[in-house]
Amino acid sequence: MASQKREEFQRLITAWSQGSKLRAVLKTDLFEEANGEDQLLFDSFLQVPVVVGIDIDEGVVRSARRRSGGSGLLALVSDVRDLLFQAGCLDYIISTSTLDHFEDSRDIKRSLRELARILRGGGRILVAMDNPWNPFYHVLRFVSKTPLFSFRLGKTLSWTQLENCLSQCDLVVLGREPVIHNPRLIST
């Protein structure tokens, strides 16, 4: 399952970054880099001078650093709602299942404004969020509030709601595509 997820995101990253000269890339969470075979940062951007991953959890950041080997990944503890990066300093941002961990949709909007602020003109953001119409989403969100889960699922947005938020941040939506994401708890 992890390989399938990784391949699908790598395909999207490649397709949506074509024609862009990437000098600095950011991924807004390091869960995969810290824990799974579905990591994206260790080998997907080998020709990019600056590859940064952030996570709000210090333990996740430490684990990602240990697993990164000589990949050149700069792993930092940071909150996507309040980023310390300069405005316009990144060419490409990957946000896979970061924004849908917030309990309040205002935090999603705040995060998107921050990501838009640090993106250079002409840069790209790949945003993935849980599908609110997926029947498993509501079950998993409920279960995520129990000790079985190491993280909590929060609010998510529909495509239309996400596109509206992106537009409010002066970002232009270039495309949208569903991605099959197999929940580990159910698929395992």
Side-chain angles (χ1 to χ4, degrees), residues 65-134:
R65 283 181 187 147
R66 276 193 304 273
R67 291 186 71 218
S68 69
S71 71
L73 171 66
L74 177 59
L76 304 171
V77 176
S78 185
D79 186 334
V80 72
R81 295 169 289 190
D82 188 26
L83 297 167
L84 298 176
F85 295 95
Q86 275 186 316
C89 69
L90 296 165
D91 302 299
Y92 200 81
I93 298 171
I94 302 156
S95 183
T96 56
S97 290
T98 301
L99 304 178
D100 43 21
H101 290 283
F102 297 120
E103 286 296 324
D104 190 327
S105 59
R106 289 176 293 194
D107 287 321
I108 297 171
K109 294 174 185 174
R110 181 175 165 191
S111 299
L112 288 170
R113 279 193 299 274
E114 274 293 275
L115 295 174
R117 179 186 67 77
I118 64 174
L119 188 69
R120 74 164 171 79
R124 305 236 170 132
I125 299 178
L126 185 152
V127 177
M129 295 187 75
D130 291 327
N131 177 357
W133 293 292
N134 178 346

Side-chain angles (χ1 to χ4, degrees), residues 150-161:
S150 59
F151 58 86
R152 294 179 70 132
L153 295 178
K155 301 278 185 190
T156 193
L157 302 176
S158 69
W159 274 350
T160 303
Q161 291 168 323

Side-chain angles (χ1 to χ4, degrees), residues 14 25 73 82 87 117 140 156 164 166 172 176:
T14 300
V25 172
L73 171 66
D82 188 26
R117 179 186 67 77
L140 288 173
T156 193
N164 287 339
L166 293 168
V172 177
R176 63 180 179 175

Side-chain angles (χ1 to χ4, degrees), residues 6-16 177-179:
R6 182 176 192 268
E7 288 170 13
E8 190 63 18
F9 277 110
Q10 282 182 320
R11 182 187 65 75
L12 289 174
I13 289 166
T14 300
W16 292 351
E177 186 172 336
V179 177

